[in-house]
Amino acid sequence: MKLPTTLKHKPVVVSENYEQVDGRLSQHTDAKGLSLGLAQWNDRGKVDISAKVWRYTGEKWSRQSEELPLHRVLDLSILICRSLAHFREAYRYENLYDPQKPVIDRIGLQGDAMTVAICTDNEKINEDIKLFSQTLSEDDEMISERLRTLAKILRDMGY
């Protein structure tokens, strides 16, 4: 499906067949495309690049389409990877984490650190973390395929 180019986000690089590869939702998703482009919040003289997930309801482009600055997309990727690493070893804990040390890691970024932690404010964390872990396990093949692809691209780029 062709992505719109007349809206505020201006696509530059696109994946217009995203509904074919959208994880378990493949073939049955409203996420029709991904793009990298000029952000919709740009002001005169200030240009940001953003990533956008384009959602289509079947009749019109959805207001639920998401647009994120690239650094946030990468921060989410860091959060995902660090979480996956935690859950590989989480079986060692009765509740899949150490309640005395819910902080998994502090990752240095821009002179400070991004904290990665189990959300102990969630009153149902012990139930939710088990469901989360189970779903990670069930989705391992799909997630691993994407991580291997990402790792190869990063190696090819010299990272």
Side-chain angles (χ1 to χ4, degrees), residues 105-122:
D105 202 355
R106 297 238 325 132
I107 300 166
L109 295 170
Q110 290 181 265
D112 200 345
M114 178 171 71
T115 302
V116 179
I118 301 300
C119 182
T120 56
D121 292 340
N122 176 348

Side-chain angles (χ1 to χ4, degrees), residues 1 9 27 29 50 64 71-72 74 82 87 100-101 107 110 115 120 139-140 146-148 150-151:
M1 170 173 271
H9 172 88
Q27 310 295 324
T29 182
S50 65
Q64 291 182 339
H71 73 276
R72 288 187 190 150
L74 294 171
R82 192 55 193 90
F87 280 96
Q100 303 305 313
K101 297 179 185 172
I107 300 166
Q110 290 181 265
T115 302
T120 56
D139 290 349
D140 182 63
R146 285 158 169 81
L147 288 173
R148 281 190 297 277
L150 180 59

Side-chain angles (χ1 to χ4, degrees), residues 144-159:
S144 294
E145 175 187 32
R146 285 158 169 81
L147 288 173
R148 281 190 297 277
T149 300
L150 180 59
K152 180 188 180 313
I153 291 168
L154 288 170
R155 281 191 304 274
D156 291 349
M157 292 174 63
Y159 290 101

Side-chain angles (χ1 to χ4, degrees), residues 8-138:
K8 290 184 179 182
H9 172 88
K10 301 299 183 199
V12 174
V13 179
V14 298
S15 174
E16 293 182 329
N17 67 330
Y18 187 68
E19 70 267 15
Q20 305 296 321
V21 295
D22 187 16
R24 323 186 214 148
L25 300 174
S26 178
Q27 310 295 324
H28 307 287
T29 182
D30 66 347
K32 301 301 182 185
L34 302 177
S35 68
L36 300 178
L38 304 181
Q40 67 184 12
W41 58 81
N42 284 332
D43 293 325
R44 290 193 182 277
K46 182 177 180 278
V47 177
D48 288 323
I49 295 174
S50 65
K52 185 159 185 160
V53 176
W54 293 87
R55 299 170 78 122
Y56 190 76
T57 65
E59 297 177 18
K60 63 181 181 174
W61 291 102
S62 174
R63 297 178 122 201
Q64 291 182 339
S65 296
E66 300 102 353
E67 183 177 25
L68 292 172
L70 292 187
H71 73 276
R72 288 187 190 150
V73 174
L74 294 171
D75 291 346
L76 283 169
S77 298
I78 292 166
L79 181 65
I80 290 166
C81 290
R82 192 55 193 90
S83 299
L84 288 169
H86 168 80
F87 280 96
R88 284 185 177 166
E89 302 295 323
Y91 68 89
R92 298 181 299 150
Y93 302 107
E94 180 181 350
N95 290 312
L96 303 176
Y97 77 102
D98 182 349
Q100 303 305 313
K101 297 179 185 172
V103 174
I104 296 168
D105 202 355
R106 297 238 325 132
I107 300 166
L109 295 170
Q110 290 181 265
D112 200 345
M114 178 171 71
T115 302
V116 179
I118 301 300
C119 182
T120 56
D121 292 340
N122 176 348
E123 61 187 38
K124 295 189 177 200
I125 189 60
N126 292 338
E127 297 169 36
D128 292 349
I129 199 169
K130 287 179 179 136
L131 289 171
F132 186 91
S133 180
Q134 179 183 345
T135 302
L136 278 180
S137 180
E138 291 169 359

